Amino acid sequence: MKMNNSFYRLSMPFAAMVAALMSCALLSSCEKAILTDIDSDDGDDTEIAVKETGELYVSCSFSQTQSEMTRGSSVPLADCANRVQYVIMNGETIVHNSEQINGGGNSFGTLSVNLEPGTYRLMVFAHNEKNGNPISVGTDGSIQGFNNHVTDSFSYSDEVVITKNKRKAVSCKLTRCVAMVNFTSTDVVPAEVTKFKVFLTGVSSKYDLRNQIGADATTYTTSMVNISNWKSSAGVMSNVYSHVFLPAVETTIDAKFEFYNSSDELVLTRNIEGIQMRINSKTSVTGSFFQADGADADVMVDSEWGEPIVMNNE
């Protein structure tokens, strides 16, 4: 009896301890595992959410027609551009902005980026500036040329929808987004003329990537240029050209030439008004630049880029 009573007295605490441990185990098995966010400022326990994204894959080429491809052909972007910039916006927020420089590799003109599901604006701008930093992009999607200098350029803009865990492939057909004006004199450059400036009024200083059009109408002024760099063997001023953004698909601009001597003194001025310009077209202006009577110049929109238009600047 003594042995049985002693065993009974020892067994009761042991049984209670076992029951308590089993109860804790049952409670623990029903609780949800919590991961503590160590970066939380308030010290609360939070659950870490895994973000699911989708891939946007972009490949670019150049379409030789301004509108949807009809009779035009498509060529690799590397054949017509030195740099390409990719801008992706969500509303007014830039979520991606990167630049590629043409190094002869196959990756030029392609982009792969992961984005959260949603609708975005994809904008691509390709150009031929060889030096300088990447082009600055505003929150309104506008850009400016390098030091107000515009090169032959191409653009694309469209909405893309990204779905989680899926790949969105976009084949971008970039179109030329600039016009070009080219000046050639039919008369010989006077001996005293050594330098000149060009003023172009009615062109755009900014380009709206979102809507693919010039964002304003202003006057572009070149720096002082040595005319010897633009004189042909016959002594005429030849192929003085400039690429420009335009505030409309088709518009007119005015040009003014100021010619200077070696002492930077103004020798003469030549004004040409109503020059017809069109995006993706080249306008050639040929005529007398140095005659005292200011003879009229012939203006032709060349067919090298766009459809031909010939007009007489009277």
Side-chain angles (χ1 to χ4, degrees), residues 183 189 193-201 219-228 230 237 240-242 254-261 263-272 289-290:
F183 300 93
V189 178
V193 173
T194 60
K195 305 173 185 178
F196 68 94
K197 285 183 181 180
V198 183
F199 303 82
L200 299 177
T201 300
T219 297
Y220 164 68
T221 306
T222 68
S223 57
M224 191 79 81
V225 179
N226 290 325
I227 202 167
S228 60
W230 303 96
M237 184 180 72
V240 176
Y241 70 91
S242 181
D254 298 331
K256 180 175 76 168
F257 279 75
E258 290 183 350
F259 297 100
Y260 296 82
N261 61 21
S263 300
D264 291 344
E265 297 172 335
L266 182 62
V267 175
L268 61 91
T269 300
R270 177 72 165 94
N271 292 295
I272 304 173
F289 278 75
F290 306 104

Side-chain angles (χ1 to χ4, degrees), residues 87-97 121-124 135-144 156-157 205-216:
V87 181
I88 303 173
M89 298 186 71
N90 185 352
E92 300 301 316
T93 302
I94 297 175
V95 298
H96 180 87
N97 184 8
R121 168 67 59 172
L122 168 65
M123 297 174 288
V124 184
I135 291 176
S136 176
V137 182
T139 56
D140 59 350
S142 66
I143 62 172
Q144 285 184 304
Y156 172 91
S157 175
S205 62
K206 291 183 179 181
Y207 183 70
D208 182 352
L209 265 178
R210 186 190 302 267
N211 298 303
Q212 296 186 283
I213 199 69
D216 58 4

Side-chain angles (χ1 to χ4, degrees), residues 1-14:
M1 291 296 295
K2 290 181 180 180
M3 182 177 294
N4 290 339
N5 289 338
S6 176
F7 177 78
Y8 177 77
R9 286 193 297 270
L10 290 171
S11 298
M12 289 299 291
F14 179 76

Side-chain angles (χ1 to χ4, degrees), residues 137-302:
V137 182
T139 56
D140 59 350
S142 66
I143 62 172
Q144 285 184 304
F146 288 101
N147 299 319
N148 291 325
H149 175 61
V150 179
T151 64
D152 197 8
S153 304
F154 315 85
S155 70
Y156 172 91
S157 175
D158 201 1
E159 284 190 346
V160 293
V161 178
I162 301 300
T163 305
K164 67 179 181 180
N165 302 326
K166 290 188 177 180
R167 187 190 213 204
K168 175 67 174 180
V170 178
S171 179
C172 299
K173 297 293 190 298
L174 279 71
T175 53
R176 182 175 275 112
C177 59
V178 295
M180 178 181 175
V181 60
N182 185 307
F183 300 93
T184 298
S185 72
T186 55
D187 49 355
V188 175
V189 178
E192 66 269 27
V193 173
T194 60
K195 305 173 185 178
F196 68 94
K197 285 183 181 180
V198 183
F199 303 82
L200 299 177
T201 300
V203 301
S204 297
S205 62
K206 291 183 179 181
Y207 183 70
D208 182 352
L209 265 178
R210 186 190 302 267
N211 298 303
Q212 296 186 283
I213 199 69
D216 58 4
T218 186
T219 297
Y220 164 68
T221 306
T222 68
S223 57
M224 191 79 81
V225 179
N226 290 325
I227 202 167
S228 60
N229 297 329
W230 303 96
K231 285 174 68 173
S232 71
S233 57
V236 301
M237 184 180 72
S238 179
N239 296 323
V240 176
Y241 70 91
S242 181
H243 295 92
V244 293
F245 296 131
L246 297 177
V249 173
E250 190 164 354
T251 186
T252 59
I253 68 171
D254 298 331
K256 180 175 76 168
F257 279 75
E258 290 183 350
F259 297 100
Y260 296 82
N261 61 21
S262 58
S263 300
D264 291 344
E265 297 172 335
L266 182 62
V267 175
L268 61 91
T269 300
R270 177 72 165 94
N271 292 295
I272 304 173
E273 298 179 349
I275 302 172
Q276 188 174 354
M277 301 286 290
R278 183 172 57 216
I279 295 174
N280 195 34
S281 294
K282 182 170 73 174
T283 299
S284 298
V285 181
T286 304
S288 172
F289 278 75
F290 306 104
Q291 297 291 331
D293 59 1
D296 292 333
D298 292 328
V299 179
M300 180 179 68
V301 180
D302 203 309

